[in-house]
Amino acid sequence: EQVKTVKPYLDRNLPHLFPEITEGHYKIASAKLQIVNGMNLKLIIKQKLTPLKFEISLYVDHENKITLNDITHFLGTRPTIGGFNWEDPTSIKQEDLDNLIVTIQKKVNLLVKTPGKVIVYRKQVVNGLKKHVIFRDANQNIFSVLTIRKPNDKTDDLISVYQIYWNNINLIFS
């Protein structure tokens, strides 16, 4: 019953957080609920068409406003050929995150408050190196950023960026 509360939020946000999820092509494999001053939900999400599987932690307050707390992948999940491979989010230094923010701001007039914290870091090798980073800025806004570095290039190009704040999502650039 409580999962129904967050289903519209997931339907709206998961395709923007993970490029390989298209609308409705995921399932909630399991859910854990903790009642606090509101509720904490931990959901295991599986993408129906690929082996993508991760846990998303959400907080739902008494007014049904939803906050994304964390996303984690499962250790031992096998990388997929041609797909995104999960990397350790702590391997991105603050300087690398600052450079990513500069890359975003070259294309989009967007306020991102530093320092930030990387939640998800993934890479895909296809016609260059794609990087997918989900991070939280100092204002607690969530950003999902996809960049590519083509062979022989020295800088990353922005493919898309999305900002999630409170219970809303903004398509910033795609």
Side-chain angles (χ1 to χ4, degrees):
E1 181 66 30
Q2 302 304 331
V3 173
K4 289 180 184 175
T5 305
V6 299
K7 185 84 167 84
Y9 176 88
L10 295 173
D11 289 346
R12 188 173 61 245
N13 291 308
L14 286 181
H16 301 295
L17 287 172
F18 291 92
E20 60 268 53
I21 293 181
T22 55
E23 288 187 34
H25 290 164
Y26 73 93
K27 70 177 185 175
I28 299 170
S30 72
K32 293 179 184 175
L33 172 68
Q34 177 188 30
I35 303 295
V36 289
N37 189 13
M39 66 180 160
N40 289 319
L41 281 170
K42 285 194 175 203
L43 307 172
I44 295 177
I45 304 292
K46 289 183 177 179
Q47 206 270 349
K48 292 179 180 177
L49 306 174
T50 69
L52 176 66
K53 180 180 173 184
F54 58 91
E55 182 178 80
I56 188 167
S57 300
L58 303 170
Y59 171 73
V60 183
D61 72 8
H62 292 292
E63 296 174 357
N64 285 334
K65 287 188 180 174
I66 300 167
T67 304
L68 190 155
N69 288 334
D70 199 14
I71 299 171
T72 54
H73 81 289
F74 291 91
L75 295 177
T77 304
R78 293 185 152 188
T80 57
I81 296 173
F84 281 97
N85 294 322
W86 292 77
E87 305 288 333
D88 180 357
T90 61
S91 68
I92 294 185
K93 300 178 193 85
Q94 187 60 50
E95 179 183 338
D96 297 331
L97 185 55
D98 292 344
N99 289 336
L100 178 64
I101 292 168
V102 167
T103 299
I104 294 168
Q105 292 174 331
K106 283 180 184 176
K107 296 275 186 179
V108 182
N109 184 14
L110 183 64
L111 178 63
V112 182
K113 186 164 183 186
T114 57
K117 179 183 183 260
V118 176
I119 300 169
V120 171
Y121 179 39
R122 303 184 313 149
K123 292 180 183 177
Q124 178 186 37
V125 178
V126 58
N127 297 327
L129 177 64
K130 284 186 181 178
K131 293 180 189 174
H132 177 225
V133 178
I134 300 174
F135 70 94
R136 180 186 320 275
D137 76 354
N139 286 331
Q140 303 305 306
N141 295 315
I142 302 287
F143 296 87
S144 177
V145 183
L146 191 59
T147 61
I148 188 165
R149 181 174 295 182
K150 303 238 181 191
N152 305 322
D153 282 357
K154 294 182 178 157
T155 59
D156 294 335
D157 287 327
L158 184 66
I159 296 173
S160 66
V161 59
Y162 296 91
Q163 178 185 13
I164 301 172
Y165 59 99
W166 297 107
N167 199 13
N168 298 305
I169 184 164
N170 288 340
L171 165 61
I172 304 296
F173 177 82
S174 179

